[in-house]
Amino acid sequence: MATVTTSDGLADATGIATHAAETPGMPQLNFDHWGNQIFWLILALIATYLILSRVALPRIGAVLAERQGTITNDIAAAEDLKVKAQEAEAAYDKALIDARAEAQQMVAQAKADMQADLDIEMAKADAEIAAQVAESEKAIAEIRASAMVNVQAVAKDTAEALVAALGGTADAATVDAAVDARMKG
């Protein structure tokens, strides 16, 4: 039996020292273990794929489907709201047109009422003016008649005074007839 020193013998008994000399550095790059590593890599990838395809991806797909459904519902609701907004805008425009037409009708009615009131007041004013004109014409006619009487009286007195100044005698009936004839035309 060979004697084993404590420092080298322990390393030779476990095989670590010889193995350390053979490995190039990282155990992953040791070609002796690549077959085993590739096997476990493929097994890990298959397990990951199965977990993802059976558990995670269906959940993600469900979330995406729910999100798509929500988006579709929101778009449909937005379209409905857009249609309602357009209908509300059309109703607003119609109400605005109706209000403007009603306002124009009210203005026309107010103008017609004001014109009717104006016509009534004008008729009253015309009637008052006509009454004043008639009164004035009556007063003028009375003044004219009175003036004609006064003119006839003055004309008769003047004719008698002229005839007397010229040395003649004037008969009152003759002077009256001459003045009346001359006044008529």
Side-chain angles (χ1 to χ4, degrees), residues 71-173:
I71 290 171
T72 303
N73 290 341
D74 289 347
I75 289 173
E79 288 295 325
D80 290 343
L81 290 175
K82 181 180 178 183
V83 168
K84 287 180 183 177
Q86 288 173 345
E87 290 172 357
E89 183 180 8
Y92 170 76
D93 289 342
K94 184 182 181 305
L96 187 62
I97 290 170
D98 292 345
R100 284 183 180 159
E102 185 177 342
Q104 289 176 351
Q105 186 179 18
M106 291 171 84
V107 166
Q109 182 64 34
K111 283 183 180 179
D113 291 345
M114 288 176 20
Q115 187 63 40
D117 291 344
L118 182 64
D119 290 343
I120 290 170
E121 293 299 321
M122 290 291 285
K124 285 181 184 177
D126 287 345
E128 287 177 12
I129 291 171
Q132 288 178 354
V133 166
E135 223 176 273
S136 298
E137 286 178 358
K138 183 179 176 186
I140 290 171
E142 287 176 4
I143 292 171
R144 202 177 263 164
S146 139
M148 289 304 274
V149 169
N150 289 337
V151 168
Q152 280 181 347
V154 170
K156 288 178 185 177
D157 288 344
T158 305
E160 285 178 4
L162 281 175
V163 170
L166 291 176
T169 57
D171 175 352

